[in-house]
Amino acid sequence: MVTTRVSARRRFARVLLVAVLTAGLAGCGGGVYKPFNPVDEKRPIKPASIAVISGSHQDGDVKLAGFVTKQLAERTKFRVLSQEEIGKRAPGYPSTIGLRKREDIKDDDEKVVWFAPSEKAKLDALQARLKVDHLFVLWIPHMTVVTSNNSTTYYVYPAGNMLEYPGGRVVGSTRMGMGSSTSILALFRSKDYYIVDAIEMSAEAIVDDVIKFTKSAK
Amino acid sequence: MRIGLALRVAVAAMLALAASGCFNAFNVLDGNFKPKGRSIAVLAGVPEDASVAIAALVADELRKQSRYRVMSQAQIAEALKPYPQLIKGPYRSAYFEIDVDWSLTDKQKLAAMQRSLGVDYLYVMWAPTAITSGSSKNTSLHVVAQLFEFPGAKEVGQGAFQLYIQKDDATNLKQGAERVARQLAEKTGMLGKNQ
């Protein structure tokens, strides 16, 4: 029952957010809402082994990678490496995977390759240690907070790329925004409750789309 | 990250406060603190440009303003491989602000690093989040820092504060680093004779 209520609230939040994004936050997320978008729709992505990689050690990136890992493991046929296992196999994880310059990314690009070309070697080296078929690297390069008279909304704008090995070809892209607004309950919640909520809803949306395009539902 | 109008006003107010001298970056935990040694290393706790730059600026200023023997960043990098590296810091989370918990710092890791460095004090600085105000391009770096005494990794001082960068101009950041170093030196009784 609780799950249903949460899901309904999240669906509403998502619909609302898409409307808000379309209405005018184009500068932040580029106005694009593609939680997971295959680069080549004709080429299927098979659910095999996967590691979700945090694009940096920043809290937002780490949290998003953790939530997506959990959701993929629970809801899909992908064989998902845990964040702990990634840490064991790749000492120093998470390290920074540098993003391309913002001005090099078109506002309407729905299949963005987010990482700088020079960072590909880092990803290849990581895959060599993890020995998985797919890396799914995720960042939250941008967050905003909008305060109105009676509430505050925290927005996150996740970005990501799925790479397929061998070869390290980019097969999927993430570009989206998600928001979570404070309510009277904020008085009783932790400082970061709403930002984490927005990140968790993003993970849910990303995995929804991964399932849709890879037909990998359990 | 962008922030709304209210936060932008708050940033401007904080900037004004910092400029006017109401800037408290460091406090000793024991009012009777007396330093037991003179050697110190200033470490970045987060392996990112902002933390590394701030640690380097504060180290330079501490060398100028205090009687501490300050280890250079090059010496630190030589002794600690790799440096900078992530050190679990005194906070639960760092999104738009730092949710501080001074007890969370990985003191075991610091003790191991101190063994390689051989200094009496470690001043560790974490700048895990930076907030950019939308139109003005002013950035505030949220910083937490702790001073540890060795042997024993005893926390003897701490501070949570903000440093500012205005439109790609590092002048404010340098001035902030000067103030941090001065307060650290002053409050630990190690201010240089010429200061």
Side-chain angles (χ1 to χ4, degrees):
Chain A
M1 195 64 182
V2 172
T3 312
T4 311
R5 265 205 305 266
V6 170
S7 297
R9 187 176 79 84
R10 289 188 170 185
R11 269 197 299 277
F12 174 73
R14 211 173 298 163
V15 169
L16 189 66
L17 182 84
V18 173
V20 169
L21 280 172
T22 315
L25 285 173
C28 305
V32 175
Y33 183 80
K34 293 284 180 186
F36 183 77
N37 198 20
V39 169
D40 181 356
E41 285 174 28
K42 290 175 189 161
R43 195 179 156 135
I45 300 167
K46 291 177 186 166
S49 60
I50 191 167
V52 184
I53 301 301
S54 171
S56 81
H57 52 75
Q58 288 188 349
D59 281 358
D61 297 5
V62 171
K63 204 61 127 178
L64 180 62
F67 283 138
V68 172
T69 296
K70 184 169 176 282
Q71 293 248 343
L72 282 175
E74 287 173 0
R75 299 171 56 199
T76 74
K77 292 178 194 161
F78 278 97
R79 298 191 306 279
V80 188
L81 220 57
S82 70
Q83 292 296 302
E84 293 74 23
E85 188 59 30
I86 296 171
K88 277 183 202 162
R89 293 191 199 178
Y93 171 79
S95 60
T96 302
I97 309 293
L99 288 158
R100 283 165 62 201
K101 287 180 188 165
R102 181 66 189 86
E103 55 267 32
D104 294 342
I105 295 169
K106 287 182 186 164
D107 281 348
D108 59 351
D109 189 347
E110 297 183 346
K111 296 178 180 180
V112 180
V113 175
W114 290 99
F115 55 88
S118 58
E119 300 295 274
K120 177 66 167 41
K122 277 189 198 171
L123 290 166
D124 291 345
L126 198 53
Q127 189 276 338
R129 283 186 174 274
L130 301 177
K131 300 187 182 356
V132 285
D133 301 303
H134 295 97
L135 290 184
F136 192 6
V137 56
L138 291 162
W139 303 261
I140 302 181
H142 193 79
M143 297 183 190
T144 64
V145 52
V146 178
T147 304
S148 65
N149 287 340
N150 49 12
S151 122
T152 299
T153 303
Y154 293 89
Y155 294 99
V156 296
Y157 298 91
N161 283 123
M162 186 182 283
L163 292 86
E164 186 178 77
Y165 286 88
R169 204 167 60 90
V170 175
V171 294
S173 178
T174 291
R175 183 174 199 175
M176 63 177 292
M178 185 63 76
S180 180
S181 296
T182 58
S183 67
I184 188 72
L185 293 174
L187 293 167
F188 309 102
R189 287 172 167 163
S190 66
K191 277 183 184 177
D192 58 9
Y193 177 89
Y194 293 95
I195 194 94
V196 172
D197 190 45
I199 295 170
E200 191 169 11
M201 285 194 287
S202 301
E204 197 177 309
I206 289 168
V207 175
D208 284 351
D209 272 11
V210 169
I211 289 171
K212 187 167 97 186
F213 289 111
T214 61
K215 298 180 176 58
S216 58
K218 264 184 183 166
Chain B
M1 292 181 217
R2 289 187 183 174
I3 55 176
L5 182 61
L7 284 181
R8 235 176 286 159
V9 171
V11 167
M14 296 288 277
L15 199 60
L17 277 175
S20 68
C22 300
F23 175 72
N24 188 10
F26 182 81
N27 289 304
V28 285
L29 298 180
D30 175 359
N32 298 318
F33 173 79
K34 293 268 187 303
K36 291 178 181 167
R38 287 184 56 207
S39 59
I40 190 169
V42 182
L43 299 182
V46 180
E48 276 201 350
D49 294 351
S51 286
V52 175
I54 292 166
L57 286 171
V58 170
D60 286 347
E61 284 302 322
L62 206 54
R63 197 173 293 114
K64 287 180 203 164
Q65 299 190 44
S66 78
R67 288 180 282 121
Y68 282 112
R69 280 200 319 271
V70 185
M71 207 166 181
S72 73
Q73 296 293 296
Q75 286 171 314
I76 293 170
E78 183 62 34
L80 299 177
K81 285 177 181 168
Y83 178 79
Q85 54 182 283
L86 185 63
I87 303 164
K88 170 64 190 158
Y91 49 92
R92 282 179 285 265
S93 64
Y95 295 100
F96 290 96
E97 57 185 281
I98 300 176
D99 189 3
V100 177
D101 181 339
W102 298 108
S103 70
L104 293 179
T105 305
D106 186 350
K107 285 167 62 168
Q108 281 191 336
K109 185 164 189 173
L110 287 178
M113 293 170 103
Q114 185 273 341
R115 280 196 289 278
S116 301
L117 297 169
V119 288
D120 302 309
Y121 292 94
L122 288 183
Y123 183 58
V124 193
M125 307 185 76
W126 292 266
T129 188
I131 309 283
T132 301
S133 131
S135 53
S136 64
K137 291 190 177 173
N138 292 341
T139 299
S140 63
L141 294 168
H142 292 237
V143 184
V144 283
Q146 286 174 296
L147 180 66
F148 293 93
E149 186 175 70
F150 291 89
K154 183 186 174 192
E155 186 188 4
V156 293
Q158 59 183 218
F161 53 95
Q162 291 178 42
L163 297 173
Y164 301 91
I165 305 173
Q166 278 181 304
K167 292 181 181 173
D168 302 323
D169 178 0
T171 310
N172 276 319
L173 191 64
K174 284 180 185 164
Q175 287 171 350
E178 278 172 29
R179 290 197 182 101
V180 173
R182 185 174 180 88
Q183 288 187 15
L184 174 59
E186 203 165 23
K187 292 179 180 179
T188 55
M190 289 291 279
L191 203 56
K193 286 175 185 162
N194 299 328
Q195 297 300 313

